[in-house]
């Protein structure tokens, strides 16, 4: 109590003027006044308030989604400071996230469970991992302008290697969003709470710079559109005369959302213009830029997703996706360099060859079931499967080893069971079981297809602890 009193007096000396009523922006938070954090003297009083997280899975906001407690995002932090008339607020918050995992009967060389990385044949080594990936720190400001709120948000988080980098940085005002934030092709509200924060293999997930606008229509409909930064994830093919080009057209995304007391449905789409450089014909000599030109490949995708309330405590989440040239937006193919892949062209009566690029069709979906047994305990399970249509080449003896990564890939499957105990408004512990499968075409020693399929398997047990403030 003495420490709290001392801290409060220090803030009292720094702050000025009277306490004003707090402003909220429809987040699932409720103000609580703590007598130890608001002290009055003869001349000064603080404008420091503590915010209590009170969201439940029944509180629906299509922007913030159904994120719970330790996984809340874009919401007010616990600690907020206001100015004299409460027209400006500043808060800081973050999450300390630690995960311990043990692989058995198949391993994945990644702190996050990525089914694309499952070795085929199965690697039966047992791997233990302890990391702080997804630990983050953020600041948020809110200012009242013209009867609306101007919101600024910036966050830094740790990646798989525990290196800190910029996660999000955006401002929003009256439906306009500018900066680095979640793609409008995503559906945050259809997410499933996971011990492994990578999530289902077929979930749409992307964070980058964009300019977007969201328009509510009455109480049940929302439409939104954005232009987003294009980042071509190109297969490394300089040896084939294929090079990445600066992209000249942004990705275009749009979505329409229907929401009710039973949940929501979202239909979203994306169009991409993927630009690269390649040869125009086969050449026996060294490749030069005078022998090629810039070319374009279209990418397009559609996603149908939602979260529906079955009972007051039970929800079902789902997402289906199809398209081509959109691999970097899908969880399983992040950093897999599969937006465009080489398409070999053979010149008749010649040993020379030249290459162009092509997009590969992808189809997948997941379904999850979550039960909030009580305010303390949450349980869920999720199953996802995603398939990419790769070219079926009978004899691949002339292809490089790394080319086989995409050439013989067929599909992956993901399964997870999770349990969470929310100790209080700040601390959550969880346990999860994950299982993944990866199927590829089988070849003999001469790299000729046998007509069979090989499958790699991985299993993981994970424990998680988060402290949010």
């Amino acid at each position: 109590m003495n420490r709290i009193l001392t801290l409060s007096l220090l803030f009292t000396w720094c702050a000025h003027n009277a306490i004003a009523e707090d402003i909220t922006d429809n987040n699932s938070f409720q103000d609580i006044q703590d007598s130890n954090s608001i002290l009055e003297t003869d001349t000064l009083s603080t404008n420091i308030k503590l915010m209590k997280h009170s969201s439940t899975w029944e509180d629906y906001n299509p922007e913030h989604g159904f994120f719970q407690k330790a996984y809340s995002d874009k919401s007010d932090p616990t600690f907020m400071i206001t100015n004299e008339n409460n027209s400006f607020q500043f808060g800081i918050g973050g999450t300390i996230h630690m995960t311990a995992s043990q692989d058995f009967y198949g391993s994945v060389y990644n702190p996050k469970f990525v089914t694309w990385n499952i070795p085929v044949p199965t690697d039966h080594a047992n791997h233990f991992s302890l990391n702080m990936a997804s630990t983050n720190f953020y600041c948020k400001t809110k200012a009242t302008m013209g009867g609306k709120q101007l919101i600024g948000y910036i966050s830094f988080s740790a990646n798989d290697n525990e290196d800190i980098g910029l996660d999000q940085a955006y401002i929003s005002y009256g439906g306009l969003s500018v900066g680095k934030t979640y793609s409008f092709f995503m559906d945050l509200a259809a997410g499933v709470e996971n011990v492994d924060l990578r999530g289902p293999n077929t979930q749409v997930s992307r964070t980058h710079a964009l300019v977007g606008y969201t328009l509510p229509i009455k109480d049940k409909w929302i439409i939104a559109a954005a232009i987003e930064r294009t980042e071509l994830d190109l297969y490394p093919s300089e040896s084939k005369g294929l090079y990445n080009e600066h992209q000249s057209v942004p990705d275009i995304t749009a979505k329409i959302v229907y929401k009710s007391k039973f949940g929501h449905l979202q239909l979203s789409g994306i169009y991409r213009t993927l630009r690269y450089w390649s040869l125009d014909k086969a050449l026996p000599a060294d490749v030069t830029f005078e022998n090629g030109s810039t070319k374009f490949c279209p990418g397009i995708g559609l996603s149908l997703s939602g979260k529906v309330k079955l009972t007051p405590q039970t929800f079902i989440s789902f997402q289906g996706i199809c398209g081509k040239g959109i691999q970097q937006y899908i969880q399983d193919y992040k950093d897999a360099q599969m937006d465009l892949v080489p398409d070999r062209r053979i010149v008749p009566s010649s040993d020379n060859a030249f290459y162009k690029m092509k997009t590969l069709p992808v189809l997948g979906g997941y379904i999850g079931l979550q039960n909030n047994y009580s305010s303390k305990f949450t349980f869920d399970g999720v199953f996802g499967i995603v398939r990419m249509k790769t070219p079926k080449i009978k004899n691949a003896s002339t292809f490089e080893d790394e080319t086989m990564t995409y050439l013989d890939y067929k599909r992956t499957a993901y399964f997870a069971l999770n349990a969470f105990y929310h100790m209080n408004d700040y601390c959550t512990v969880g346990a999860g079981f994950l299982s993944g499968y990866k199927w590829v075409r089988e070849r003999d020693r001469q790299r000729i297809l046998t007509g069979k399929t090989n499958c790699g398997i991985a299993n993981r047990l994970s424990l998680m602890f988060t402290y949010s403030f």
Side-chain angles (χ1 to χ4, degrees):
M1 183 63 71
N2 290 335
R3 291 183 179 179
I4 297 177
L5 182 59
T6 302
L7 181 60
S8 300
L9 288 173
L10 178 60
F11 279 118
T12 300
W13 181 78
C14 298
H16 63 282
N17 294 329
I19 301 173
E21 181 182 358
D22 180 54
I23 299 176
T24 60
D25 61 343
N26 295 324
N27 291 316
S28 49
F29 281 76
Q30 294 178 347
D31 290 355
I32 58 169
Q33 291 189 349
D34 189 323
S35 59
N36 292 322
S37 64
I38 303 178
L39 300 177
E40 295 186 0
T41 67
D42 293 338
T43 58
L44 297 174
S45 63
T46 69
N47 287 355
I48 301 169
K49 294 194 174 183
L50 296 179
M51 313 291 287
K52 181 179 180 180
H53 197 311
S54 61
S55 70
T56 70
W57 289 87
E58 293 152 350
D59 295 329
Y60 173 70
N61 186 309
E63 178 187 3
H64 305 150
F66 286 93
F67 288 97
Q68 242 191 6
K69 297 183 179 178
Y71 298 104
S72 64
D73 190 34
K74 293 189 177 182
S75 303
D76 285 343
T78 301
F79 184 76
M80 298 288 287
I81 302 175
T82 69
N83 66 349
E84 177 180 335
N85 60 5
N86 217 31
S87 61
F88 181 85
Q89 296 175 300
F90 171 79
I92 58 175
T95 300
I96 298 173
H97 184 99
M98 185 177 70
T99 304
S101 62
Q102 177 69 56
D103 290 358
F104 64 98
Y105 191 63
S107 297
V108 179
Y109 297 101
N110 197 310
K112 296 180 181 179
F113 197 78
V114 184
T115 53
W116 168 265
N117 292 336
I118 295 176
V120 180
T122 300
D123 180 359
H124 291 280
N126 295 327
H127 293 158
F128 175 79
S129 174
L130 186 65
N131 69 85
M132 302 296 294
S134 299
T135 294
N136 69 82
F137 175 84
Y138 68 93
C139 300
K140 181 177 181 179
T141 64
K142 297 193 296 182
T144 303
M145 296 175 54
K148 299 179 181 179
Q149 286 196 331
L150 174 66
I151 298 175
Y153 183 91
I154 184 169
S155 64
F156 300 87
S157 64
N159 60 18
D160 297 348
N161 297 322
E162 299 181 353
D163 297 325
I164 301 296
L166 179 66
D167 186 30
Q168 296 188 71
Y170 71 90
I171 58 174
S172 65
Y173 179 77
L176 179 66
S177 298
V178 179
K180 182 180 181 181
T181 185
Y182 296 116
S183 169
F184 277 38
F185 192 43
M186 290 178 58
D187 186 354
L188 289 172
V192 179
E193 196 171 13
N194 267 281
V195 170
D196 172 66
L197 293 184
R198 184 75 176 226
N201 56 345
T202 189
Q203 184 177 15
V204 176
S205 177
R206 187 69 182 174
T207 303
H208 53 199
L210 59 82
V211 177
Y213 187 77
T214 301
L215 177 65
I217 302 177
K218 295 184 178 180
D219 296 329
K220 293 185 178 295
W221 294 91
I222 295 173
I223 58 174
I227 55 173
E228 307 187 9
R229 182 173 66 191
T230 297
E231 296 176 347
L232 181 57
D233 204 8
L234 179 69
Y235 187 88
S237 307
E238 287 81 358
S239 62
K240 301 177 178 62
L242 300 169
Y243 296 87
N244 198 346
E245 285 269 291
H246 293 294
Q247 302 303 299
S248 57
V249 180
D251 293 351
I252 300 173
T253 58
K255 62 182 177 181
I256 182 170
V257 181
Y258 173 78
K259 63 187 183 74
S260 71
K261 63 180 181 180
F262 298 105
H264 82 283
L265 293 174
Q266 173 176 308
L267 178 65
S268 54
I270 184 172
Y271 179 80
R272 312 184 69 200
T273 301
L274 308 178
R275 178 177 174 176
Y276 72 99
W277 183 95
S278 76
L279 292 174
D280 294 323
K281 60 182 180 179
L283 296 171
D286 294 337
V287 175
T288 68
F289 279 91
E290 297 177 355
N291 306 128
S293 62
T294 297
K295 299 173 178 62
F296 299 88
C297 277
I300 189 170
L302 288 174
S303 173
L304 179 64
S305 56
K307 183 182 283 284
V308 179
K309 181 189 297 185
L310 302 180
T311 71
Q313 292 80 33
T314 306
F315 296 83
I316 186 170
S317 303
F318 66 91
Q319 181 170 64
I321 185 172
C322 64
K324 62 179 183 177
I326 59 171
Q327 273 76 351
Q328 67 172 274
Y329 282 83
I330 300 175
Q331 289 280 41
D332 212 35
Y333 305 132
K334 280 186 176 181
D335 304 319
Q337 299 177 314
M338 300 295 292
D339 283 348
L340 290 174
V341 298
D343 183 16
R344 192 179 190 202
R345 309 288 181 176
I346 304 297
V347 180
S349 304
S350 173
D351 294 331
N352 300 323
F354 72 105
Y355 295 80
K356 291 185 178 180
M357 302 297 283
K358 65 186 298 184
T359 56
L360 300 179
V362 60
L363 176 67
Y366 73 83
I367 185 169
L369 183 68
Q370 175 149 347
N371 178 264
N372 298 325
Y373 180 77
S374 68
S375 61
K376 296 288 187 181
F377 291 96
T378 302
F379 305 92
D380 66 56
V382 59
F383 172 77
I385 188 167
V386 60
R387 180 186 181 91
M388 187 160 50
K389 187 176 180 180
T390 54
K392 188 175 181 180
I393 300 176
K394 182 177 180 180
N395 185 356
S397 59
T398 60
F399 283 82
E400 297 88 345
D401 290 337
E402 63 271 15
T403 308
M404 308 304 293
T405 301
Y406 82 87
L407 188 62
D408 287 337
Y409 169 88
K410 296 187 69 175
R411 64 185 181 274
T412 61
Y414 172 98
F415 175 75
L417 289 174
N418 301 280
F420 300 92
Y421 173 59
H422 305 288
M423 302 167 62
N424 49 44
D425 293 318
Y426 309 102
C427 297
T428 297
V429 294
F433 166 73
L434 300 104
S435 185
Y437 304 83
K438 179 180 178 181
W439 288 270
V440 299
R441 298 187 182 100
E442 181 184 88
R443 294 183 181 272
D444 59 20
R445 294 182 178 180
Q446 287 73 41
R447 292 186 176 178
I448 299 177
L449 289 176
T450 65
K452 299 180 181 180
T453 299
N454 283 335
C455 179
I457 302 173
N459 296 278
R460 175 175 291 181
L461 289 175
S462 297
L463 295 176
M464 176 209 74
F465 172 79
T466 63
Y467 171 72
S468 298
F469 57 91

